[in-house]
Amino acid sequence: MKSRGMIVVMVGVLALISLTWLSAPAAAAEPFVIGGIFSATGPQSYLGDPEKKTMEMLAAEINAKGGIKGTPLKVIIEDDEGDSTKARLHAEKLVHKDKVLAIVGPSLTPTSMTVLEVTQKAKVPLISCAAAVQITSPADQRQYVFKTAQTDQMAVARIFSYLKGKGITKVAILTMTNSFGDAGMKQLTGQAPGAGMEVVAKETFGEKDTDMTPQLTSIKGKNPQAVICWGTGPAPALVAKNMKQLGMKMPLAQSHGAASQKFIELAGDAADGILMPAGKLTIYKLLPDNDPQKAVCKAYDEKYQAKYNKPASSFGGYAYDAMGMLVLALEKAGADREKIREALEQTKNYAGVSGVFNMSPEDHNGLAPDAFVIVKIAGNAFALAD
Amino acid sequence: MTRLLLNPWLLFAAGVLLVPQAVTNQYYFTLLNIIGIHTILVVGLNLLMGYAGQISLGHAAFFGLGAYTSGILTAAGVVNPWLALLLGLVVSGSAAFLIGIPVLKLRGYYLAMATLGFGVIIFIVLVQGHRFTGGPSGLHGIPSLSLGGFPLDTPFRLYFLVWTCVGLLLAFSANLVDSRVGRALRALHDSETAAQSLAVHTARLKLQIFVLSALYASLAGSLYAHTLNFIAPSSFDIMFSIKLVTMVVVGGMASIWGSLLGAATLTVLPEFLAFFQEFEVVIYGAILMVVMIFLPRGLVRGLMDLWERRHRLTEGGTTPG
Amino acid sequence: MVGDNRRRPPLSCRRRPYLRPGPEGHAITVDNFGPLLQYLVSGLTNGAIYALIALGFGIIYNATTIINFAQGEMVMLGALCAISLYQLYPSLPLAFVGGVALVTVAGLLLERLALRPARDVSPITLIIITVGGAVFIKGLAMSFWGKEAYTLPPFSGSTPLHLGPATMMPQNLWVLGVGALVVALLEAFFRLTLAGKAMRACAYNQRAARLVGIPASRMVQFSFGLSAALGAAGGILIAPLTLGVYDMGTMLGLKGFCAAILGGLGSSLGGVLGGLLLGVAESLASGLISSGYRDAVAFFILLVVLFWRPQGLVGGRG
């Protein structure tokens, strides 16, 4: 009886493992094979989904044009569901089974941190779409890791200097308890003294919370001159709604994680007057024609709109820039991971959706604070605030 | 002779030793290591659920306590990883003991709810304890284990450690449920009152099994931390606890080998369902439902039943009835 | 129901001494009476959402003794169906009725296709089937509606109502009002009608119920339809407050489950009490202690309540 059970188990386990073997062995080394890992489903799918779609769109476009210098591009995209165990497995699969030349993604800080353990060891270039500083620093331990998302450090610096200019020195911060909000909270509290800001209240909310009035009531009691909310997804829109409900009239600043047309739609009439540090994609139509990013933002937005029938988001923009630079590196270096890494590191003056990239061995993000503009929502649209 | 060859433990050992002959790719070793870690968790939970009849929807908390104790102490470089692993066991064991005394007085869904509450509390502490845990962004820089100066820093090297642990724990669990304790457990599972009348100290027995399964989870957690070299709270949330319960039931309640198959199935399934992209989740849900509808006693028993029925059918021609 | 609302404040006053020793020391003075009232109002209105979801758990439990983990997904389906219907034809009453009807069908289908064919009716097997059902429904919703959030306009405007120093949205009144109505109807149904009594009989002992001629499987089917309808109604009511997104159901379902257990499974009144208590505990924890530890404090309180009353507030049957 028992041994028969054992046979069932062993056969089962072996069958399961061999099933993963069957799934498409890597094709002969002809095309350039690159990988993507995004949180396309799961709680943070609003980040990963546009990234995945962008990468698929670009791959199709490149191949339709005859590939990179005649070599077709093969893109293998995995979905980590925002789970670091899955992200790790996918990274191992892409690196060791599919033998990719480089990986774009993951979408989140924790998943990026676990994936870079693999890529750094295997010497595979990784271009992360997550925001936190520790993804690309310390530089001497991240030779193979790049990232295209603006660092929250810059967003915080930008918003503080804007508020300071308006004579505001007492702020309350309300951050989301995910990696994005957490990184924002660290930057906000860390930079406040240097920027001459006093943080009078520090509250948090969960990604799936449906009511933030208790936190805001407590913030209201501390009389800040402005509230800064740091989060992604739909919840920041609820913060705006709840502030309106409580009759809180002080300015509300959201993070770049909320800067999208969707936010305005979700927050409705509570959106008016909200400030945000935003990538230029959000307001590219308002940019002067000589701005180097205007053309690239316009091209991206129009292509994405045409293919998926919704506006492009700055999250998708991270994947757009990653692919853009990676394709240039592939043109220059060919199918050689080490040379691709070098080419990526030498990227200079690359005008992308998220900013103008100037990579160097010390800086694998390559963006300057002017990648952000401060925008204000007025009449259901973004306008430049400064 | 066939009897000897069919000895499950020999087969298991042979399987563990033969796999590296067939597999060379690092990816599969990582996959196998994760399966092994999940198996340890599921066997522990199965002792509690399948044998003692108590449910826990907070098992991810013990997994997390083990992982974070190992992670925090070794990333800071204060403690030898093996000592950290032991400390993790102490932390999780004491937590299980302290929470178990009041919680195990509850029954059924109320017990499920209380353990879920405990899981939420531990999860929040991991998220909020920035200074030690790194908060939601996670804790990085966890070193790999090493054994007497030999670093276990590749999935291949770690494979042997993980699967030795799996083998030992499976054997220990199988012996436990065949022992006097196991019989007492089954009595407890069927009827607590009857067990009490047979002089089984039910409260103490429940607590002991609860602590034991927490220790399994803690060990799995430490191994997990050293396998990924990085941990984040999202791996230890309520959803993971529910997933573990699902693994137990899919593999088969009160089935030691079922735990292995349940863990393997639900770990590997998403890997090759990835082919279906967007529909992966839908198909995963559908498979889960179909398995439970048609094989309600879990994969191992269910497949064996099917096999036996076919056997009987083929013999049915000659023997009446 | 309304009476219960009035009884809440004294209860929380009793709880206050536990909450007081926060870092800043919140003594109750005239100055912070306003915030305190706001915490209570927020807690009660948010708790009413949990209560509505908890009721759905109670109904299925009453007929089958299982916990339907897909209940949260019914809430999500309700919200998203109503939003889509509203986009097709902008009429809130029609969207409401249509959403509830569609989800009721989904609930019946879940029972017919996934639970009825099950060869074994041990609760744990059925519960895992509902877990699979939840994953399945969520996956379908993701493919159909995508990953973005959607809004539904509030039923009666978005001008906040003022209760002294505290405010609430008109939509909150809808949630509270419909919640109260549903509880009253459910209590009446389970206590006064034959069908309701038959359903409760099924929960006590299905075989005995069958022996006295109760069509048990019909009752189970009915309970799934009813609880899906209720979940959908809840989802539509809260959509203007919380937005509608494909993965909203999981968290709400868990909170509703906690509320149902806390109140005492199978009791409508218990579900409501549990939901309100959970809401108020969360709100007070986040306002007075720490928003980061909100859930931890709320669940700690729930654990204490459970140890004090192991069968839930309104003693159900374990």
PDB file of all heavy atoms in Angstrom, chain A residues 2-4 20 52 81 84-85 88 92 96 110 121 182, chain B residues 6 25-26 28 30 130 136 224 227-228 230 235 280 307-308:
ATOM      1  N   LYS A   2       1.753   1.263   1.005  1.00  0.00           N
ATOM      2  CA  LYS A   2       2.564   2.461   1.172  1.00  0.00           C
ATOM      3  C   LYS A   2       3.488   2.650  -0.028  1.00  0.00           C
ATOM      4  O   LYS A   2       3.630   3.747  -0.558  1.00  0.00           O
ATOM      5  CB  LYS A   2       3.389   2.326   2.436  1.00  0.00           C
ATOM      6  CG  LYS A   2       3.389   3.627   3.214  1.00  0.00           C
ATOM      7  CD  LYS A   2       4.117   3.458   4.486  1.00  0.00           C
ATOM      8  CE  LYS A   2       3.353   4.106   5.612  1.00  0.00           C
ATOM      9  NZ  LYS A   2       3.832   3.715   6.905  1.00  0.00           N
ATOM     10  N   SER A   3       4.101   1.539  -0.434  1.00  0.00           N
ATOM     11  CA  SER A   3       5.082   1.696  -1.511  1.00  0.00           C
ATOM     12  C   SER A   3       4.379   2.099  -2.800  1.00  0.00           C
ATOM     13  O   SER A   3       4.933   2.845  -3.606  1.00  0.00           O
ATOM     14  CB  SER A   3       5.860   0.408  -1.714  1.00  0.00           C
ATOM     15  OG  SER A   3       4.953  -0.647  -1.877  1.00  0.00           O
ATOM     16  N   ARG A   4       3.127   1.637  -2.947  1.00  0.00           N
ATOM     17  CA  ARG A   4       2.431   2.033  -4.168  1.00  0.00           C
ATOM     18  C   ARG A   4       2.183   3.546  -4.147  1.00  0.00           C
ATOM     19  O   ARG A   4       2.331   4.224  -5.148  1.00  0.00           O
ATOM     20  CB  ARG A   4       1.110   1.265  -4.275  1.00  0.00           C
ATOM     21  CG  ARG A   4       0.802   0.919  -5.705  1.00  0.00           C
ATOM     22  CD  ARG A   4      -0.490   0.153  -5.816  1.00  0.00           C
ATOM     23  NE  ARG A   4      -0.416  -1.174  -5.212  1.00  0.00           N
ATOM     24  CZ  ARG A   4      -1.485  -1.786  -4.715  1.00  0.00           C
ATOM     25  NH1 ARG A   4      -2.656  -1.170  -4.696  1.00  0.00           N
ATOM     26  NH2 ARG A   4      -1.380  -2.976  -4.205  1.00  0.00           N
ATOM     27  N   THR A  20       8.012  20.702 -17.306  1.00  0.00           N
ATOM     28  CA  THR A  20       8.641  22.002 -17.501  1.00  0.00           C
ATOM     29  C   THR A  20       9.733  21.907 -18.569  1.00  0.00           C
ATOM     30  O   THR A  20      10.069  22.881 -19.207  1.00  0.00           O
ATOM     31  CB  THR A  20       9.271  22.530 -16.210  1.00  0.00           C
ATOM     32  OG1 THR A  20      10.275  21.619 -15.813  1.00  0.00           O
ATOM     33  CG2 THR A  20       8.255  22.674 -15.126  1.00  0.00           C
ATOM     34  N   LYS A  52       4.842  45.002 -19.556  1.00  0.00           N
ATOM     35  CA  LYS A  52       4.834  43.815 -20.405  1.00  0.00           C
ATOM     36  C   LYS A  52       4.308  44.171 -21.796  1.00  0.00           C
ATOM     37  O   LYS A  52       4.900  43.786 -22.820  1.00  0.00           O
ATOM     38  CB  LYS A  52       3.961  42.746 -19.743  1.00  0.00           C
ATOM     39  CG  LYS A  52       3.655  41.556 -20.590  1.00  0.00           C
ATOM     40  CD  LYS A  52       2.993  40.476 -19.754  1.00  0.00           C
ATOM     41  CE  LYS A  52       2.507  39.331 -20.595  1.00  0.00           C
ATOM     42  NZ  LYS A  52       1.103  39.410 -20.959  1.00  0.00           N
ATOM     43  N   GLU A  81       4.031  37.733 -10.723  1.00  0.00           N
ATOM     44  CA  GLU A  81       2.892  37.971  -9.829  1.00  0.00           C
ATOM     45  C   GLU A  81       3.269  38.776  -8.589  1.00  0.00           C
ATOM     46  O   GLU A  81       2.592  38.725  -7.575  1.00  0.00           O
ATOM     47  CB  GLU A  81       2.248  36.641  -9.402  1.00  0.00           C
ATOM     48  CG  GLU A  81       1.684  35.856 -10.573  1.00  0.00           C
ATOM     49  CD  GLU A  81       1.312  34.432 -10.198  1.00  0.00           C
ATOM     50  OE1 GLU A  81       0.815  34.226  -9.095  1.00  0.00           O
ATOM     51  OE2 GLU A  81       1.535  33.535 -11.024  1.00  0.00           O
ATOM     52  N   SER A  84       8.442  37.229  -4.795  1.00  0.00           N
ATOM     53  CA  SER A  84       9.888  37.160  -5.011  1.00  0.00           C
ATOM     54  C   SER A  84      10.375  35.738  -5.266  1.00  0.00           C
ATOM     55  O   SER A  84      11.364  35.549  -5.969  1.00  0.00           O
ATOM     56  CB  SER A  84      10.675  37.842  -3.887  1.00  0.00           C
ATOM     57  OG  SER A  84      10.066  37.709  -2.651  1.00  0.00           O
ATOM     58  N   THR A  85       9.696  34.726  -4.729  1.00  0.00           N
ATOM     59  CA  THR A  85      10.104  33.351  -5.039  1.00  0.00           C
ATOM     60  C   THR A  85       9.944  33.082  -6.535  1.00  0.00           C
ATOM     61  O   THR A  85      10.832  32.509  -7.184  1.00  0.00           O
ATOM     62  CB  THR A  85       9.244  32.343  -4.259  1.00  0.00           C
ATOM     63  OG1 THR A  85       9.141  32.768  -2.911  1.00  0.00           O
ATOM     64  CG2 THR A  85       9.831  30.965  -4.329  1.00  0.00           C
ATOM     65  N   ARG A  88      12.497  34.863  -8.641  1.00  0.00           N
ATOM     66  CA  ARG A  88      13.782  34.192  -8.588  1.00  0.00           C
ATOM     67  C   ARG A  88      13.808  32.999  -9.548  1.00  0.00           C
ATOM     68  O   ARG A  88      14.766  32.811 -10.305  1.00  0.00           O
ATOM     69  CB  ARG A  88      14.030  33.730  -7.150  1.00  0.00           C
ATOM     70  CG  ARG A  88      15.298  32.949  -6.946  1.00  0.00           C
ATOM     71  CD  ARG A  88      16.485  33.781  -7.404  1.00  0.00           C
ATOM     72  NE  ARG A  88      17.708  33.268  -6.851  1.00  0.00           N
ATOM     73  CZ  ARG A  88      18.236  33.689  -5.716  1.00  0.00           C
ATOM     74  NH1 ARG A  88      17.649  34.632  -5.019  1.00  0.00           N
ATOM     75  NH2 ARG A  88      19.360  33.185  -5.267  1.00  0.00           N
ATOM     76  N   GLU A  92      16.201  32.481 -12.887  1.00  0.00           N
ATOM     77  CA  GLU A  92      17.060  31.314 -13.120  1.00  0.00           C
ATOM     78  C   GLU A  92      16.719  30.665 -14.458  1.00  0.00           C
ATOM     79  O   GLU A  92      17.606  30.230 -15.197  1.00  0.00           O
ATOM     80  CB  GLU A  92      16.874  30.278 -12.002  1.00  0.00           C
ATOM     81  CG  GLU A  92      17.196  30.794 -10.624  1.00  0.00           C
ATOM     82  CD  GLU A  92      18.579  30.367 -10.136  1.00  0.00           C
ATOM     83  OE1 GLU A  92      19.378  29.939 -10.976  1.00  0.00           O
ATOM     84  OE2 GLU A  92      18.824  30.470  -8.918  1.00  0.00           O
ATOM     85  N   HIS A  96      19.550  30.549 -17.169  1.00  0.00           N
ATOM     86  CA  HIS A  96      20.223  29.270 -17.363  1.00  0.00           C
ATOM     87  C   HIS A  96      19.560  28.371 -18.401  1.00  0.00           C
ATOM     88  O   HIS A  96      20.224  27.532 -18.995  1.00  0.00           O
ATOM     89  CB  HIS A  96      20.323  28.534 -16.029  1.00  0.00           C
ATOM     90  CG  HIS A  96      21.167  29.267 -15.039  1.00  0.00           C
ATOM     91  ND1 HIS A  96      22.531  29.364 -15.152  1.00  0.00           N
ATOM     92  CD2 HIS A  96      20.834  29.990 -13.947  1.00  0.00           C
ATOM     93  CE1 HIS A  96      23.020  30.084 -14.155  1.00  0.00           C
ATOM     94  NE2 HIS A  96      22.001  30.487 -13.416  1.00  0.00           N
ATOM     95  N   PRO A 110      11.363  44.578  -4.301  1.00  0.00           N
ATOM     96  CA  PRO A 110      11.752  43.268  -3.756  1.00  0.00           C
ATOM     97  C   PRO A 110      12.065  42.242  -4.846  1.00  0.00           C
ATOM     98  O   PRO A 110      13.046  41.506  -4.732  1.00  0.00           O
ATOM     99  CB  PRO A 110      10.522  42.830  -2.956  1.00  0.00           C
ATOM    100  CG  PRO A 110       9.721  44.041  -2.728  1.00  0.00           C
ATOM    101  CD  PRO A 110      10.021  44.991  -3.829  1.00  0.00           C
ATOM    102  N   LYS A 121      25.474  37.289 -10.395  1.00  0.00           N
ATOM    103  CA  LYS A 121      26.363  36.126 -10.351  1.00  0.00           C
ATOM    104  C   LYS A 121      26.635  35.597 -11.752  1.00  0.00           C
ATOM    105  O   LYS A 121      27.758  35.226 -12.075  1.00  0.00           O
ATOM    106  CB  LYS A 121      25.716  35.015  -9.518  1.00  0.00           C
ATOM    107  CG  LYS A 121      26.481  34.683  -8.255  1.00  0.00           C
ATOM    108  CD  LYS A 121      25.823  33.503  -7.553  1.00  0.00           C
ATOM    109  CE  LYS A 121      25.791  33.709  -6.055  1.00  0.00           C
ATOM    110  NZ  LYS A 121      24.935  32.738  -5.365  1.00  0.00           N
ATOM    111  N   ASP A 182       7.305  52.751   0.951  1.00  0.00           N
ATOM    112  CA  ASP A 182       8.310  52.645   1.991  1.00  0.00           C
ATOM    113  C   ASP A 182       9.576  53.406   1.610  1.00  0.00           C
ATOM    114  O   ASP A 182      10.138  54.158   2.412  1.00  0.00           O
ATOM    115  CB  ASP A 182       8.619  51.168   2.207  1.00  0.00           C
ATOM    116  CG  ASP A 182       9.521  50.940   3.385  1.00  0.00           C
ATOM    117  OD1 ASP A 182       9.165  51.414   4.473  1.00  0.00           O
ATOM    118  OD2 ASP A 182      10.575  50.312   3.205  1.00  0.00           O
TER     119      ASP A 182
ATOM    120  N   LEU B   6      10.936  -1.900  -3.747  1.00  0.00           N
ATOM    121  CA  LEU B   6       9.801  -0.996  -3.690  1.00  0.00           C
ATOM    122  C   LEU B   6       9.721  -0.254  -2.369  1.00  0.00           C
ATOM    123  O   LEU B   6       8.791   0.488  -2.118  1.00  0.00           O
ATOM    124  CB  LEU B   6       8.498  -1.764  -3.934  1.00  0.00           C
ATOM    125  CG  LEU B   6       8.280  -2.122  -5.409  1.00  0.00           C
ATOM    126  CD1 LEU B   6       7.004  -2.925  -5.567  1.00  0.00           C
ATOM    127  CD2 LEU B   6       8.224  -0.871  -6.261  1.00  0.00           C
ATOM    128  N   ASN B  25      20.789  21.715 -15.389  1.00  0.00           N
ATOM    129  CA  ASN B  25      20.491  23.139 -15.401  1.00  0.00           C
ATOM    130  C   ASN B  25      20.207  23.669 -14.005  1.00  0.00           C
ATOM    131  O   ASN B  25      19.410  23.123 -13.259  1.00  0.00           O
ATOM    132  CB  ASN B  25      19.272  23.374 -16.287  1.00  0.00           C
ATOM    133  CG  ASN B  25      19.178  24.784 -16.741  1.00  0.00           C
ATOM    134  OD1 ASN B  25      19.379  25.700 -15.942  1.00  0.00           O
ATOM    135  ND2 ASN B  25      18.897  24.974 -18.009  1.00  0.00           N
ATOM    136  N   GLN B  26      20.857  24.773 -13.671  1.00  0.00           N
ATOM    137  CA  GLN B  26      20.720  25.385 -12.365  1.00  0.00           C
ATOM    138  C   GLN B  26      19.266  25.736 -12.041  1.00  0.00           C
ATOM    139  O   GLN B  26      18.842  25.654 -10.901  1.00  0.00           O
ATOM    140  CB  GLN B  26      21.567  26.652 -12.377  1.00  0.00           C
ATOM    141  CG  GLN B  26      21.763  27.239 -11.021  1.00  0.00           C
ATOM    142  CD  GLN B  26      22.748  28.377 -11.063  1.00  0.00           C
ATOM    143  OE1 GLN B  26      23.719  28.339 -11.813  1.00  0.00           O
ATOM    144  NE2 GLN B  26      22.500  29.393 -10.282  1.00  0.00           N
ATOM    145  N   TYR B  28      16.577  24.109 -12.663  1.00  0.00           N
ATOM    146  CA  TYR B  28      15.826  23.000 -12.093  1.00  0.00           C
ATOM    147  C   TYR B  28      16.223  22.741 -10.653  1.00  0.00           C
ATOM    148  O   TYR B  28      15.408  22.310  -9.850  1.00  0.00           O
ATOM    149  CB  TYR B  28      15.990  21.741 -12.946  1.00  0.00           C
ATOM    150  CG  TYR B  28      15.348  21.918 -14.291  1.00  0.00           C
ATOM    151  CD1 TYR B  28      16.109  22.056 -15.440  1.00  0.00           C
ATOM    152  CD2 TYR B  28      13.961  22.015 -14.398  1.00  0.00           C
ATOM    153  CE1 TYR B  28      15.519  22.262 -16.670  1.00  0.00           C
ATOM    154  CE2 TYR B  28      13.361  22.221 -15.611  1.00  0.00           C
ATOM    155  CZ  TYR B  28      14.137  22.343 -16.753  1.00  0.00           C
ATOM    156  OH  TYR B  28      13.538  22.563 -17.948  1.00  0.00           O
ATOM    157  N   THR B  30      17.122  25.059  -8.521  1.00  0.00           N
ATOM    158  CA  THR B  30      16.407  26.056  -7.715  1.00  0.00           C
ATOM    159  C   THR B  30      14.957  25.631  -7.537  1.00  0.00           C
ATOM    160  O   THR B  30      14.411  25.680  -6.435  1.00  0.00           O
ATOM    161  CB  THR B  30      16.461  27.435  -8.381  1.00  0.00           C
ATOM    162  OG1 THR B  30      17.808  27.723  -8.693  1.00  0.00           O
ATOM    163  CG2 THR B  30      15.920  28.510  -7.458  1.00  0.00           C
ATOM    164  N   HIS B 130      11.056  48.230  10.209  1.00  0.00           N
ATOM    165  CA  HIS B 130      12.083  48.671   9.260  1.00  0.00           C
ATOM    166  C   HIS B 130      13.508  48.440   9.720  1.00  0.00           C
ATOM    167  O   HIS B 130      14.334  47.924   8.999  1.00  0.00           O
ATOM    168  CB  HIS B 130      11.955  50.177   9.009  1.00  0.00           C
ATOM    169  CG  HIS B 130      10.702  50.536   8.329  1.00  0.00           C
ATOM    170  ND1 HIS B 130      10.596  50.558   6.977  1.00  0.00           N
ATOM    171  CD2 HIS B 130       9.498  50.878   8.822  1.00  0.00           C
ATOM    172  CE1 HIS B 130       9.372  50.903   6.654  1.00  0.00           C
ATOM    173  NE2 HIS B 130       8.678  51.102   7.755  1.00  0.00           N
ATOM    174  N   PRO B 136       8.995  46.737   3.796  1.00  0.00           N
ATOM    175  CA  PRO B 136       8.412  46.087   2.622  1.00  0.00           C
ATOM    176  C   PRO B 136       9.410  45.876   1.485  1.00  0.00           C
ATOM    177  O   PRO B 136       9.192  45.025   0.631  1.00  0.00           O
ATOM    178  CB  PRO B 136       7.310  47.058   2.163  1.00  0.00           C
ATOM    179  CG  PRO B 136       7.244  48.132   3.157  1.00  0.00           C
ATOM    180  CD  PRO B 136       8.392  48.043   4.068  1.00  0.00           C
ATOM    181  N   TYR B 224      14.999  28.797   3.202  1.00  0.00           N
ATOM    182  CA  TYR B 224      14.511  29.702   2.165  1.00  0.00           C
ATOM    183  C   TYR B 224      15.363  30.975   2.126  1.00  0.00           C
ATOM    184  O   TYR B 224      15.777  31.428   1.054  1.00  0.00           O
ATOM    185  CB  TYR B 224      13.050  30.035   2.455  1.00  0.00           C
ATOM    186  CG  TYR B 224      12.405  31.021   1.515  1.00  0.00           C
ATOM    187  CD1 TYR B 224      11.917  30.628   0.276  1.00  0.00           C
ATOM    188  CD2 TYR B 224      12.270  32.360   1.875  1.00  0.00           C
ATOM    189  CE1 TYR B 224      11.321  31.537  -0.577  1.00  0.00           C
ATOM    190  CE2 TYR B 224      11.670  33.274   1.023  1.00  0.00           C
ATOM    191  CZ  TYR B 224      11.199  32.857  -0.205  1.00  0.00           C
ATOM    192  OH  TYR B 224      10.614  33.760  -1.047  1.00  0.00           O
ATOM    193  N   THR B 227      18.555  30.262   0.560  1.00  0.00           N
ATOM    194  CA  THR B 227      18.442  29.877  -0.843  1.00  0.00           C
ATOM    195  C   THR B 227      18.323  31.115  -1.726  1.00  0.00           C
ATOM    196  O   THR B 227      18.965  31.221  -2.764  1.00  0.00           O
ATOM    197  CB  THR B 227      17.187  29.007  -1.066  1.00  0.00           C
ATOM    198  OG1 THR B 227      17.266  27.902  -0.191  1.00  0.00           O
ATOM    199  CG2 THR B 227      17.102  28.493  -2.484  1.00  0.00           C
ATOM    200  N   LEU B 228      17.471  32.057  -1.298  1.00  0.00           N
ATOM    201  CA  LEU B 228      17.236  33.236  -2.126  1.00  0.00           C
ATOM    202  C   LEU B 228      18.206  34.376  -1.823  1.00  0.00           C
ATOM    203  O   LEU B 228      18.309  35.318  -2.593  1.00  0.00           O
ATOM    204  CB  LEU B 228      15.793  33.729  -1.947  1.00  0.00           C
ATOM    205  CG  LEU B 228      14.847  33.288  -3.055  1.00  0.00           C
ATOM    206  CD1 LEU B 228      14.651  31.782  -2.981  1.00  0.00           C
ATOM    207  CD2 LEU B 228      13.508  33.981  -2.946  1.00  0.00           C
ATOM    208  N   PHE B 230      17.724  36.662  -0.165  1.00  0.00           N
ATOM    209  CA  PHE B 230      16.937  37.878  -0.062  1.00  0.00           C
ATOM    210  C   PHE B 230      15.539  37.485   0.399  1.00  0.00           C
ATOM    211  O   PHE B 230      15.002  36.485  -0.067  1.00  0.00           O
ATOM    212  CB  PHE B 230      16.849  38.566  -1.422  1.00  0.00           C
ATOM    213  CG  PHE B 230      15.849  39.683  -1.452  1.00  0.00           C
ATOM    214  CD1 PHE B 230      16.214  40.951  -1.045  1.00  0.00           C
ATOM    215  CD2 PHE B 230      14.537  39.466  -1.851  1.00  0.00           C
ATOM    216  CE1 PHE B 230      15.295  41.980  -1.038  1.00  0.00           C
ATOM    217  CE2 PHE B 230      13.610  40.493  -1.846  1.00  0.00           C
ATOM    218  CZ  PHE B 230      13.995  41.750  -1.441  1.00  0.00           C
ATOM    219  N   SER B 235       6.409  37.421   0.914  1.00  0.00           N
ATOM    220  CA  SER B 235       6.461  35.962   0.800  1.00  0.00           C
ATOM    221  C   SER B 235       5.819  35.280   2.000  1.00  0.00           C
ATOM    222  O   SER B 235       5.708  34.055   2.012  1.00  0.00           O
ATOM    223  CB  SER B 235       7.909  35.482   0.697  1.00  0.00           C
ATOM    224  OG  SER B 235       8.598  36.210  -0.270  1.00  0.00           O
ATOM    225  N   GLU B 280      -3.194  32.017 -17.130  1.00  0.00           N
ATOM    226  CA  GLU B 280      -2.546  31.124 -16.180  1.00  0.00           C
ATOM    227  C   GLU B 280      -3.389  30.990 -14.916  1.00  0.00           C
ATOM    228  O   GLU B 280      -3.656  29.898 -14.435  1.00  0.00           O
ATOM    229  CB  GLU B 280      -1.161  31.666 -15.830  1.00  0.00           C
ATOM    230  CG  GLU B 280      -0.436  30.781 -14.851  1.00  0.00           C
ATOM    231  CD  GLU B 280       0.618  31.538 -14.052  1.00  0.00           C
ATOM    232  OE1 GLU B 280       1.332  32.353 -14.640  1.00  0.00           O
ATOM    233  OE2 GLU B 280       0.703  31.287 -12.844  1.00  0.00           O
ATOM    234  N   TRP B 307      -6.220   3.849  -9.895  1.00  0.00           N
ATOM    235  CA  TRP B 307      -5.400   2.753 -10.365  1.00  0.00           C
ATOM    236  C   TRP B 307      -6.010   1.423  -9.964  1.00  0.00           C
ATOM    237  O   TRP B 307      -6.146   0.493 -10.754  1.00  0.00           O
ATOM    238  CB  TRP B 307      -3.999   2.914  -9.770  1.00  0.00           C
ATOM    239  CG  TRP B 307      -2.966   2.076 -10.433  1.00  0.00           C
ATOM    240  CD1 TRP B 307      -2.667   2.038 -11.765  1.00  0.00           C
ATOM    241  CD2 TRP B 307      -2.093   1.162  -9.792  1.00  0.00           C
ATOM    242  NE1 TRP B 307      -1.647   1.168 -11.997  1.00  0.00           N
ATOM    243  CE2 TRP B 307      -1.279   0.608 -10.803  1.00  0.00           C
ATOM    244  CE3 TRP B 307      -1.907   0.753  -8.460  1.00  0.00           C
ATOM    245  CZ2 TRP B 307      -0.292  -0.328 -10.522  1.00  0.00           C
ATOM    246  CZ3 TRP B 307      -0.925  -0.172  -8.186  1.00  0.00           C
ATOM    247  CH2 TRP B 307      -0.128  -0.714  -9.224  1.00  0.00           C
ATOM    248  N   GLU B 308      -6.437   1.366  -8.681  1.00  0.00           N
ATOM    249  CA  GLU B 308      -7.007   0.122  -8.181  1.00  0.00           C
ATOM    250  C   GLU B 308      -8.308  -0.214  -8.897  1.00  0.00           C
ATOM    251  O   GLU B 308      -8.592  -1.358  -9.194  1.00  0.00           O
ATOM    252  CB  GLU B 308      -7.259   0.221  -6.679  1.00  0.00           C
ATOM    253  CG  GLU B 308      -6.119  -0.381  -5.895  1.00  0.00           C
ATOM    254  CD  GLU B 308      -6.154   0.020  -4.446  1.00  0.00           C
ATOM    255  OE1 GLU B 308      -7.256   0.305  -3.922  1.00  0.00           O
ATOM    256  OE2 GLU B 308      -5.077   0.064  -3.833  1.00  0.00           O
TER     257      GLU B 308
END
